[in-house]
């Protein structure tokens, strides 16, 4: 029933390009709050070097959560029993555009998979759904939608692979996954929502991904127990979490302003490193974006 309430996944290729020649790649992660995040301004600032001391960023991959898609292909009449409340947020620019239009205007490759409908019938002018997405300057391959163990809402991770060569001509590949774990579970299992539900989803996520060359980023919803939560402990058994360059939280939760619920994790071969930090502008969302860099060339 949850699947029947949403439209199809969307794969939209960006402009054709030559093979990416890179020794490191910028990886970003952001919950855009169903239209509230100004993706156009955010990517524009990234490309101009606003986050990198004036050095333009030409190649990047962005892991997004709570993106929305408006389309007549989304069913109009559905049971309200499996439809969450509508979220209609507007970015500071006042122009609320969906993820497909954003990718087209930015000239980026897109992979989007809806998790749930955005509100009951009639709550938006055109039916909407919402879910995770990946935007990239590099063509996306090996596209995967990974449905998580069900808690309160349906959640689907999205993953894709990007490839290129180093400046020395060595081929590289990076598997990227955008994650959005549950905030809580349904009433019959309510008292296990403080971590156990997300642990189930963390185990499913780790099991579904390759053993190396992986970046895992998203909204882990660790609002209750923070860094001691079992889901994070499980992921850290397999993934390295680089020391952030700041100690700041990454969301604007009203009652937990410093709670960290957004993370980037890396599972890289020996000799490769990664780092990340928070960007100090929400661009209209209720989460701050993260920006990281992953090394693609082996260290001598």
């Amino acid at each position: 029933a949850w699947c029947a309430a949403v439209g199809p996944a969307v794969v939209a290729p960006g402009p054709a390009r030559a093979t990416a020649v890179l020794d490191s790649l910028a990886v970003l992660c952001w919950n855009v709050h169903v239209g509230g995040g100004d993706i156009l301004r955010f990517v524009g600032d990234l490309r101009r070097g606003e986050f990198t001391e004036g050095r333009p960023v030409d190649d990047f991959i962005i892991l997004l959560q709570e993106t929305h898609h408006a389309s007549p292909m989304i069913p109009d009449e559905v049971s309200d029993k499996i439809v969450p409340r509508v979220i209609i947020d507007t970015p500071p620019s006042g122009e609320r555009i969906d993820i497909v239009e954003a990718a087209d205007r930015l000239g980026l490759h897109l992979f989007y998979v809806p998790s749930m409908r955005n509100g009951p019938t009639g709550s938006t002018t055109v039916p909407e759904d919402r879910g995770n997405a990946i935007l990239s300057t590099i063509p996306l391959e090996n596209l995967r939608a990974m449905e998580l163990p069900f808690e309160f809402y349906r959640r689907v991770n999205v993953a894709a692979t990007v490839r290129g060569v180093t400046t020395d001509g060595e081929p590289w590949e990076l598997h990227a996954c955008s994650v959005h774990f549950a905030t809580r579970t349904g009433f019959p299992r309510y008292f296990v929502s403080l971590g156990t539900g997300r642990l189930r989803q963390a185990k499913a996520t780790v099991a579904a991904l390759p053993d190396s060359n992986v970046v895992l980023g998203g909204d882990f919803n660790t609002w209750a127990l923070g860094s001691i939560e079992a889901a994070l402990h499980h992921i850290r058994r397999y993934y390295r979490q680089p020391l952030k360059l700041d100690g700041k939280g990454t969301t604007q939760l009203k009652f937990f302003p410093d709670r960290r619920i957004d993370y980037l994790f890396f599972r890289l071969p020996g000799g490769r490193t990664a780092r990340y930090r928070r960007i100090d502008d929400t661009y209209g969302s209720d989460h701050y974006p993260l920006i990281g860099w992953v090394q693609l060339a082996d260290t001598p």
Side-chain angles (χ1 to χ4, degrees):
W2 284 81
C3 294
V6 301
V10 179
V11 179
R17 57 163 297 168
T19 300
V21 181
L22 300 168
D23 291 332
S24 66
L25 179 65
V27 180
L28 298 99
C29 174
W30 190 24
N31 180 319
V32 294
H33 201 235
V34 199
D38 190 341
I39 297 178
L40 300 185
R41 185 168 70 89
F42 173 69
V43 174
D45 284 354
L46 172 67
R47 284 172 159 162
R48 283 189 295 271
E50 295 294 328
F51 316 136
T52 48
E53 299 179 336
R55 298 186 303 275
V57 178
D58 297 322
D59 279 303
F60 52 85
I61 186 168
I62 308 178
L63 310 177
L64 295 171
Q65 304 83 48
E66 288 194 6
T67 59
H68 75 285
H69 179 214
S71 170
M73 296 182 66
I74 300 169
D76 193 30
E77 299 292 333
V78 294
S79 170
D80 290 347
K81 294 180 180 179
I82 47 82
V83 174
R85 67 179 179 86
V86 66
I87 300 176
I88 303 177
D89 203 6
T90 304
S93 68
E95 184 182 17
R96 182 176 184 266
I97 61 174
D98 76 352
I99 190 61
V100 178
E101 182 178 353
D104 180 64
R105 288 166 65 168
L106 291 166
L108 296 174
H109 301 269
L110 166 68
F111 178 39
Y112 163 78
V113 178
S115 292
M116 64 193 79
R117 188 182 180 86
N118 188 32
T121 301
S123 56
T124 56
T125 304
V126 178
E128 292 183 2
D129 52 31
R130 63 186 195 243
N132 287 3
I134 298 177
L135 292 173
S136 174
T137 59
I138 304 169
L140 299 171
E141 306 175 24
N142 190 29
L143 307 180
R144 299 180 64 189
M146 301 179 291
E147 187 146 2
L148 295 178
F150 188 86
E151 293 297 333
F152 191 74
Y153 290 151
R154 178 175 180 256
R155 303 279 188 180
V156 183
N157 292 344
V158 295
T161 302
V162 290
R163 305 180 195 275
V165 297
T166 67
T167 53
D168 289 336
E170 293 296 321
W172 58 262
E173 67 177 13
L174 184 67
H175 311 287
C177 181
S178 177
V179 173
H180 195 184
F181 286 174
T183 53
R184 58 193 171 105
T185 191
F187 180 75
R189 300 176 63 250
Y190 181 79
F191 293 104
V192 303
S193 66
L194 295 181
T196 304
R198 288 183 289 277
L199 176 59
R200 294 172 65 228
Q201 295 181 336
K203 288 180 176 179
T205 299
V206 170
L209 293 169
D211 294 334
S212 187
N213 293 306
V214 184
V215 55
L216 182 67
D219 178 356
F220 291 79
N221 270 318
T222 51
W223 60 272
L225 301 178
S227 61
I228 68 172
E229 184 161 332
L232 297 182
H233 279 293
H234 182 78
I235 292 171
R236 288 180 180 130
R237 291 175 57 192
Y238 304 91
Y239 285 79
R240 179 172 176 266
Q241 184 197 349
L243 180 67
K244 288 179 67 209
L245 302 183
D246 58 67
K248 302 173 183 177
T250 54
T251 185
Q252 285 191 315
L253 289 172
K254 181 177 180 181
F255 299 108
F256 301 98
D258 295 321
R259 178 68 72 198
R260 184 185 298 184
I261 66 175
D262 304 278
Y263 292 85
L264 280 170
F265 293 96
F266 301 87
R267 196 171 184 180
L268 303 172
R272 298 187 185 180
T273 60
R275 56 194 171 95
Y276 78 101
R277 65 175 177 84
R278 193 188 84 176
I279 294 169
D280 290 332
D281 187 338
T282 64
Y283 287 83
S285 177
D286 58 346
H287 290 243
Y288 291 94
L290 304 177
I291 181 169
W293 294 266
V294 56
Q295 182 183 340
L296 303 170
D298 292 333
T299 301

